[in-house]
Amino acid sequence: MAIVLCLPATLQAEPVARPAISPELEQKVIAWRRDIHQHPELSNREFRTAALVAEHLLALGMEVQTEIAHTGVVGILRGGKPGPVIALRADMDALPVTEQTDVPFRSTVIGEYRGNEVGVMHACGHDLHVAMLMGAAEYLAEHKQQVAGTVMFIFQPAEEGAPPGEEGGAELMLREGLFAELKPDAIFGIHVWGQAPVGVIGYRKGPLMASSDRFEIRVQGQQTHGSSPWAGVDPIVAAAQIINNVQTIVSRQINITRAPAVVSFGIVEGGVRNNIIPDEVYLEGTIRNFDMDIRQQIFRQLTQAAEASAHVTGATAEVSIIEGYPVTINSPELVAKMLPTTKDVAGEQMVHESPLVTGAEDFSYYALEVPGMFVFLGVAPPDKDPASMPANHSPFFYADERALKVGTNLFINWVFDYPGAG
Ligand SMILES: [Zn+2]
Ligand SMILES: [Zn+2]
């Protein structure tokens, strides 16, 4: 995935004077980020990170809950004045990627992923997210008399997906009652982006990131000699029909004026030898959507297309759809309300509308419950062409740490400027 935010990177923009972290706190945020970067932990294994966060929030005098959805930590800050409940979210997990950068605090951690030994790296920048939210927590706790309402600091495990056989992430936190007692009026999240200039903010009203769902199709035929196909049922030809007919869903059946969609096959497996027609072919792929109704329509039509296409050839198709993250939908009203604050903090010329992104995020679950605003924060150094920088998840992923101050100040100012918080 690539985000294109065209703009000459100017860091010199003078933002309007407003709450901002001190140079000392900025140094602490940088130090936390480096420490977390050097000690990355895979999804649902964020034990050290969670302990670091919990200790910090407790030291700030917050009510702290731990072990939500395995390793999740939530801090509650009660402000000095009545007001709304604002949630701020950071994800904590790293990826099974062997770090190839040459930063002095690079990770040499080895972990276990799907039974294999793997390098572990914060290749999606969640180390920055945690550090920024720790910084915002410190600033807001120190200024809590000026804070109206309640701030909920959500440190979430397993955004990248729980290991096979486990549950995790935003969905599990919500199921365990994250919003049961204290339902936020709004939730904010930031994701760093390797291919946008440092300090640039990408925002979008409505859908921002796609839903991501997996499908599996088992095409059942009947084995026979390749020289006499009439003696069996050919699942390979059936699979070919399925692949072609499924491609007509997006091109012929979806109202593309509402939202784009993608259906891609990633696995086609079947057969062992040139002259044997096999019993079965296995297909697997991914579905991406920006509209929750179209998503349901594709689930239905994909199942129909596969079953009917197989049927025509005498084979059968069994379709399973494994739902992943829903569409990440920003509240248009919330984004409209908070855009002036965002521009004040980051600098007017640094804030751009983001294109749709076909990657997925489990921030989506929160944003289906309460109004949400999720933005991208560029981390490419200003002297580099952002498009040439490694994308998120690359072993070369690199973040210019000047972005940390921008992200931390954004969290702080969204809290102060949320309507009703003044
Ligand atoms: Zn990621
Ligand atoms: Zn991420």
Side-chain angles (χ1 to χ4, degrees):
M1 15 182 211
I3 188 169
V4 186
L5 296 167
C6 309
L7 152 128
T10 46
L11 285 167
Q12 291 74 30
E14 258 329 304
V16 177
R18 44 167 59 247
I21 57 170
S22 65
E24 293 73 33
L25 183 49
E26 183 186 3
Q27 287 312 309
K28 283 170 87 170
V29 172
I30 292 171
W32 289 323
R33 183 262 160 159
R34 292 182 180 183
D35 175 59
I36 297 165
H37 189 89
Q38 209 163 8
H39 300 93
E41 295 169 299
L42 290 170
S43 307
N44 277 356
R45 306 287 182 270
E46 306 90 340
F47 304 112
R48 182 186 183 276
T49 313
L52 184 81
V53 167
E55 194 184 327
H56 179 61
L57 300 181
L58 281 168
L60 295 173
M62 290 192 199
E63 298 161 36
V64 179
Q65 245 186 305
T66 59
E67 293 180 23
I68 308 173
H70 303 296
T71 60
V73 181
V74 173
I76 305 290
L77 178 72
R78 311 233 179 236
K81 298 183 269 183
V85 179
I86 305 295
L88 306 174
R89 175 270 206 168
D91 41 7
M92 301 192 289
D93 54 331
L95 285 159
V97 170
T98 303
E99 180 153 9
Q100 307 280 327
T101 75
D102 53 8
V103 296
F105 49 91
R106 72 181 162 276
S107 161
T108 54
V109 170
I110 302 291
E112 196 229 287
Y113 183 72
R114 292 178 181 246
N116 298 316
E117 257 197 9
V118 290
V120 184
M121 176 190 177
H122 268 295
C124 203
H126 299 183
D127 50 335
L128 288 99
H129 305 168
V130 175
M132 292 189 298
L133 196 51
M134 286 172 73
E138 180 154 331
Y139 183 94
L140 290 166
E142 282 174 358
H143 296 79
K144 74 172 174 186
Q145 288 319 316
Q146 287 101 280
V147 173
T150 303
V151 188
M152 187 186 246
F153 297 88
I154 302 171
F155 292 88
Q156 181 211 300
E159 191 288 321
E160 301 286 0
E166 295 180 30
E167 294 182 295
E171 190 185 18
L172 188 60
M173 286 190 96
L174 287 166
R175 211 172 337 122
E176 290 188 5
L178 180 66
F179 292 168
E181 278 175 38
L182 203 58
K183 189 155 184 169
D185 295 284
I187 183 163
F188 295 90
I190 298 175
H191 205 302
V192 297
W193 202 268
Q195 293 183 317
V198 60
V200 162
I201 303 297
Y203 75 93
R204 194 175 178 92
K205 294 175 184 167
L208 170 69
M209 298 181 77
S211 54
S212 166
D213 306 294
R214 192 162 63 84
F215 63 89
E216 300 175 352
I217 306 174
R218 281 180 199 285
V219 189
Q220 190 65 47
Q222 193 194 329
Q223 191 265 331
T224 181
H225 197 289
S227 66
S228 46
W230 55 87
V233 175
D234 188 344
I236 291 182
V237 171
Q241 311 276 18
I242 290 171
I243 293 167
N244 279 330
N245 290 333
V246 161
Q247 293 311 314
T248 66
I249 297 171
V250 172
S251 68
R252 306 287 81 185
Q253 299 177 66
I254 295 300
N255 180 351
I256 51 125
T257 63
R258 271 180 66 182
V262 174
V263 179
S264 295
F265 285 85
I267 298 176
V268 180
E269 263 172 17
V272 288
R273 188 183 151 93
N274 74 87
N275 58 359
I276 301 173
I277 291 171
D279 259 334
E280 193 183 277
V281 170
Y282 175 74
L283 309 171
E284 198 176 312
T286 189
I287 308 169
R288 305 291 167 122
N289 280 293
F290 292 97
D291 179 289
M292 294 292 271
D293 294 332
I294 292 178
R295 182 186 188 212
Q296 291 304 321
Q297 185 190 343
I298 291 182
F299 291 173
R300 276 196 314 277
Q301 288 177 333
L302 183 136
T303 306
Q304 280 167 9
E307 288 175 356
S309 309
H311 183 73
V312 168
T313 72
T316 57
E318 195 184 293
V319 181
S320 315
I321 290 169
I322 301 95
E323 291 190 22
Y325 297 161
V327 185
T328 302
I329 304 170
N330 283 327
S331 156
E333 297 77 27
L334 181 63
V335 174
K337 277 182 211 162
M338 304 317 289
L339 203 52
T341 302
T342 308
K343 288 181 174 173
D344 272 0
V345 173
E348 172 104 33
Q349 76 283 21
M350 305 295 269
V351 179
H352 294 260
E353 188 175 4
S354 167
L356 292 169
V357 173
T358 49
E361 235 300 332
D362 76 350
F363 185 86
S364 51
Y365 288 103
Y366 306 120
L368 288 175
E369 299 271 326
V370 300
M373 177 166 167
F374 192 71
V375 303
F376 297 119
L377 167 61
V379 293
D383 58 336
K384 295 267 168 51
D385 170 16
S388 71
M389 289 300 289
N392 293 48
H393 291 207
S394 160
F396 296 97
F397 181 77
Y398 177 82
D400 187 314
E401 289 174 332
R402 281 172 286 187
L404 289 164
K405 185 167 95 174
V406 179
T408 310
N409 286 336
L410 271 180
F411 277 136
I412 292 165
N413 283 275
W414 282 331
V415 169
F416 280 119
D417 286 8
Y418 182 81

